[in-house]
Amino acid sequence: MVLGGKARQAFDIDKESPKLRDLYGRGPWGHYTLMARRLVEAGVSFVTVDMPHWDTHSKIKTALEGRLPFVDRAVAGLLEDLKQRGMLDDTLVVVMGEFGRTPKLNSGQPGIPIPGRDHWGQAMSVVLAGGGLKTGQVIGATNTKAEHPVARPLKPDDVLATIYTVLGIDPQTTFNDFAGRPMPLVDHGLPIREIL
């Protein structure tokens, strides 16, 4: 796939019009996201777009104000572009990290004396779009301090089960390990019924 002509051409975003490149944004994140669309259009079935320099612990407000507009533009551009090309219903877009941030500021960390926020696995946000999903909804809620779920709690396994379902893979699938024991594809997750 990588050495074939279609995929190689997908990496050349200079083939896109200036107007379309502006839709995604001219920075690295816009370029990565546009390249992802080009790869999907070339037949790549799973693409990850990494947004580097995101793991900020201190001065979060300043960091997010400097980064969110670029992510917002890239994701909005991707969704609009996929829709215009008739690809949105067949392409699942997932925007997420691996955890949230602590609801309270710490007093600093080794090497980072400025108060900030740590990794927080008890609550996080995920955006799912396209893929034939019933979108435009918020599923679940946290308490007012974003400490923990208070309504329709979901886990990462549920997100994975939903992604597998959209990809046409049964999330209940198991594989045998080297000892012949069945290992589940997803431990305890169920597809998010409200969006399927």
Side-chain angles (χ1 to χ4, degrees):
M1 182 61 127
V2 173
L3 297 176
K6 280 179 105 177
R8 188 177 311 159
Q9 289 177 15
F11 286 101
D12 186 3
I13 63 170
D14 288 333
K15 295 186 183 231
E16 297 291 349
S17 72
K19 182 178 178 182
L20 185 69
R21 292 184 65 188
D22 289 342
L23 180 69
Y24 282 83
R26 293 297 186 118
W29 292 350
H31 292 166
Y32 304 153
T33 308
L34 175 54
M35 190 178 302
R37 191 272 296 156
R38 290 178 58 80
L39 286 165
V40 169
E41 197 170 40
V44 177
S45 58
F46 194 94
V47 179
T48 299
V49 178
D50 180 30
M51 301 296 190
H53 313 294
W54 190 260
D55 194 10
T56 304
H57 290 269
S58 58
K59 298 185 180 179
I60 291 177
K61 183 176 186 294
T62 302
L64 290 179
E65 286 173 347
R67 292 179 176 101
L68 283 177
F70 297 102
V71 173
D72 186 51
R73 186 169 189 174
V75 172
L78 174 64
L79 295 175
E80 181 61 30
D81 191 15
L82 289 171
K83 184 177 179 183
Q84 288 177 5
R85 292 171 187 277
M87 297 171 61
L88 186 57
D89 284 342
D90 298 321
T91 307
L92 177 63
V93 177
V94 181
V95 182
M96 66 182 286
E98 68 271 35
F99 41 70
R101 290 290 182 187
T102 50
K104 297 178 184 174
L105 288 172
N106 62 30
S107 57
Q109 299 175 331
I112 308 174
I114 301 165
R117 297 185 188 274
D118 300 312
H119 300 169
W120 186 252
Q122 288 82 344
M124 62 185 282
S125 298
V126 177
V127 174
L128 300 172
L133 297 178
K134 298 175 191 171
T135 58
Q137 337 177 37
V138 175
I139 311 297
T142 64
N143 66 344
T144 58
K145 296 180 182 177
E147 294 169 313
H148 53 81
V150 295
R152 185 67 167 98
L154 296 166
K155 295 187 175 182
D157 283 358
D158 300 314
V159 175
L160 289 175
T162 304
I163 292 169
Y164 284 128
T165 299
V166 171
L167 291 173
I169 300 169
D170 181 359
Q172 302 300 315
T173 300
T174 60
F175 297 94
N176 291 336
D177 68 8
F178 293 113
R181 294 173 298 199
M183 302 299 293
L185 184 62
V186 178
D187 281 330
H188 303 290
L190 295 172
I192 303 168
R193 65 183 180 273
E194 295 92 337
I195 62 176
L196 294 176

